[in-house]
Amino acid sequence: MFLHSPQETEVVHDTLKSAGGAVHEAESGGKLFTELFEHAHDSHELELPFVGHVHLPHFDPVQIGGLTLDLSITKHVVFLWVAALLVALLTIGAARKNLKALVPRGLGNLIEVIVVFIRDEIAVPNMGKVGLEYLPYLLTTFFFILTMNLLGMFPYGATSTSNINVTAALAVIAFIMIQVSAIRA
């Protein structure tokens, strides 16, 4: 589905009327899309079960030169922090369990499979043996993006990667990593 201008919506309605179709179905589909799309928007409040809407702290914008920055905490920022915390807890916990056991089990085994896949199928084939130096960065980025996207699938959740600022920051970090490694080489 695409968002249409009011003129395009009128044309669609007129076409449906002339074809004998029901305008109500097109309108309800548009409303459904609008309601679903609202969950991808960032906001200054969280929707929580049994509590309702919780307003997040709002700070005055900061001006640097001619640029105005709003550094208030938003729903995407909260879920970004949640994703970072989950990645840290799960990977550190799995690493500690894997150090104690000869054969990893459970979550440690799952994470090891993903690490081996990224090492053997992505890093080494594309970067050669030098790619092993950048494996911690690749793994951190992979698990971080995966966790952020999975959090958006839960009720009341939000996908931080739907915010252009998050994807831009990840792109800038990747660009810096690539440039630094090229200069070092």
Side-chain angles (χ1 to χ4, degrees):
M1 291 193 157
F2 299 97
L3 293 176
H4 298 287
S5 67
Q7 294 82 14
E8 291 172 327
T9 305
E10 276 303 314
V11 171
V12 170
H13 285 216
D14 292 341
T15 306
L16 285 171
K17 283 180 186 176
S18 64
V23 176
H24 178 67
E25 291 176 11
E27 288 176 353
S28 66
K31 289 179 184 174
L32 176 65
F33 177 73
T34 304
E35 290 174 9
L36 290 174
F37 191 65
E38 286 177 5
H39 293 285
H41 285 286
D42 203 3
S43 68
H44 293 282
E45 58 184 28
L46 288 176
E47 297 175 48
L48 296 175
F50 309 113
V51 178
H53 294 278
V54 176
H55 294 281
L56 297 169
H58 186 72
F59 305 118
D60 292 332
V62 177
Q63 292 209 353
I64 301 174
L67 185 66
T68 303
L69 297 173
D70 183 12
L71 301 176
S72 298
I73 298 171
T74 64
K75 177 171 59 172
H76 288 160
V77 172
V78 170
F79 278 92
L80 188 110
W81 290 342
V82 169
L85 183 66
L86 280 174
V87 167
L89 291 175
L90 292 175
T91 54
I92 291 170
R96 285 186 179 164
K97 282 186 180 180
N98 285 358
L99 285 175
K100 294 177 184 175
L102 290 174
V103 178
R105 293 176 179 226
L107 181 66
N109 191 20
L110 175 67
I111 290 179
E112 183 176 337
V113 167
I114 295 170
V115 168
V116 169
F117 174 78
I118 291 174
R119 182 191 68 195
D120 294 344
E121 302 296 329
I122 297 173
V124 174
N126 290 308
M127 296 191 254
K129 294 291 181 186
V130 180
L132 295 176
E133 290 179 35
Y134 301 101
L135 194 58
Y137 166 73
L138 293 172
L139 291 169
T140 303
T141 304
F142 174 80
F143 284 117
F144 187 55
I145 293 171
L146 176 68
T147 306
M148 284 190 293
N149 289 336
L150 289 176
L151 284 175
M153 296 179 73
F154 288 101
Y156 305 104
T159 305
S160 299
T161 52
S162 67
N163 190 327
I164 190 70
N165 297 316
V166 173
T167 54
L170 290 169
V172 167
I173 293 168
F175 179 77
I176 291 169
M177 288 288 296
I178 292 166
Q179 298 305 315
V180 168
S181 66
I183 290 169
R184 281 182 38 195

